Amino acid sequence: MGRVTEAIKHLLIINVLFFLATALYGDLMRHWFSLWFPINENFGLWQVLTHMFMHGGLMHILFNMYGLWAFGTPLERMWGRNKFLFFYFSAGLGSALLYTAMNYYQFNEGITTLVNAGFSESSVLEVLSEGKYNTGWYEIAEKGTIDSFLNAYGIPMLGASGAVYGVLVAFAFSYPETELMLLFLPVPIKAKFFVPLLILGDVIFGITGAQTGIAHFAHIGGALAGFIMVWYWKRNQFNNKRWN
């Protein structure tokens, strides 16, 4: 792919710096810069942006940065720096919005179940704020409901995956005939089939509530935001000069 383009280069550097800082300061970085549930006391509005630079491990950042470089480079060359950055961060925002919306749904489902069972909302929130839970909650509700409720409140989202999924969608939209390969299926697949296949997996895992440790709805949110933008730009013949 030749020389690394300007925006991609800067995004890679910032992500690596955040990763190194997390290796040094661990919980402090995750506490401040991951995206927490809005009513969690750890939440800060800046996290809507900073969570895109946080990663949970070496493989996490390697896969995301490879995807950003491999699929983002041709897009930045086609669109230019400013338009690509607008797209990238908008996809990341779409990822955060859908992820948070699903968390609200799961949280409200759990809190409603507990209140209907006789627990007061204030007492439940007090327990959660202490980083604890009541084992009695599992006696009056399905395990999956309580697990999703606790995860929504207490587990933050981090990673560039949502923004990268937007990039993947834009790449497939712009270069549909390009052949790509899945790691677990070493057979060339055209981008127009490859990317929808990845998203379908996230939809299945997300709807079934599979505990994979992956924020599937964040991926879907980034992909959806990316699709809406490239579809709108193509339909309206967006003028690149507006971004120069």
Side-chain angles (χ1 to χ4, degrees):
M1 296 219 176
R3 184 178 64 85
V4 178
T5 50
E6 185 178 357
I8 299 293
K9 177 178 68 177
H10 290 138
L11 289 172
L12 292 174
I13 290 172
I14 296 172
N15 274 277
V16 170
L17 289 175
F18 266 77
F19 183 73
L20 293 176
T22 303
L24 289 174
Y25 300 107
D27 289 342
L28 183 62
M29 289 290 291
R30 285 184 283 270
H31 174 88
W32 279 99
F33 299 119
S34 300
L35 179 60
W36 294 86
F37 190 56
I39 68 169
N40 189 301
E41 62 181 10
N42 294 322
F43 174 77
L45 190 59
W46 62 87
Q47 295 165 0
V48 174
L49 174 65
T50 59
H51 82 276
M52 300 181 209
F53 301 109
M54 295 289 295
H55 289 88
L58 182 60
M59 296 307 296
H60 190 197
I61 190 172
L62 285 178
F63 275 113
N64 279 342
M65 295 304 97
Y66 173 77
L68 172 60
W69 167 75
F71 302 106
T73 298
L75 294 177
E76 185 181 352
R77 285 181 178 151
M78 176 175 63
W79 290 337
R81 179 195 62 192
N82 292 344
K83 185 174 178 180
F84 176 79
L85 286 174
F86 174 84
F87 177 88
Y88 181 81
F89 286 113
S90 295
L93 177 60
S95 167
L97 288 175
L98 183 60
Y99 175 81
T100 301
M102 290 306 302
N103 273 358
Y104 262 114
Y105 172 78
Q106 293 171 338
F107 181 84
N108 287 333
E109 183 180 34
I111 201 85
T112 299
T113 300
L114 294 175
V115 169
N116 289 340
F119 292 93
S120 70
E121 182 172 342
S122 60
S123 67
V124 172
L125 293 177
E126 183 178 356
V127 172
L128 291 177
S129 68
E130 296 173 353
K132 302 176 182 178
Y133 67 92
N134 187 334
T135 56
W137 296 347
Y138 282 96
E139 297 175 4
I140 53 87
E142 294 182 1
K143 183 178 184 300
T145 298
I146 299 302
D147 283 345
S148 296
F149 164 70
L150 294 174
N151 291 342
Y153 180 86
I155 297 181
M157 180 180 77
L158 71 169
S161 302
V164 171
Y165 260 68
V167 169
L168 283 170
V169 168
F171 181 89
F173 203 94
S174 303
Y175 305 98
E177 301 301 318
T178 301
E179 293 189 337
L180 308 170
M181 286 198 298
L182 293 166
L183 290 177
F184 53 84
L185 184 62
V187 177
I189 304 175
K190 291 183 178 181
K192 63 184 179 181
F193 302 124
F194 175 91
V195 174
L197 182 62
L198 287 181
I199 297 171
L200 178 61
D202 281 298
V203 171
I204 292 172
F205 285 126
I207 292 177
T208 59
Q211 300 298 314
T212 62
I214 297 173
H216 295 290
F217 282 106
H219 292 177
I220 298 168
L224 181 60
F227 175 79
I228 291 172
M229 282 186 286
V230 292
W231 175 82
Y232 178 82
W233 289 346
K234 186 174 181 64
R235 184 171 180 267
N236 290 275
Q237 296 298 305
F238 217 79
N239 187 349
N240 284 335
K241 294 181 180 179
R242 289 183 56 180
W243 301 90
N244 293 334

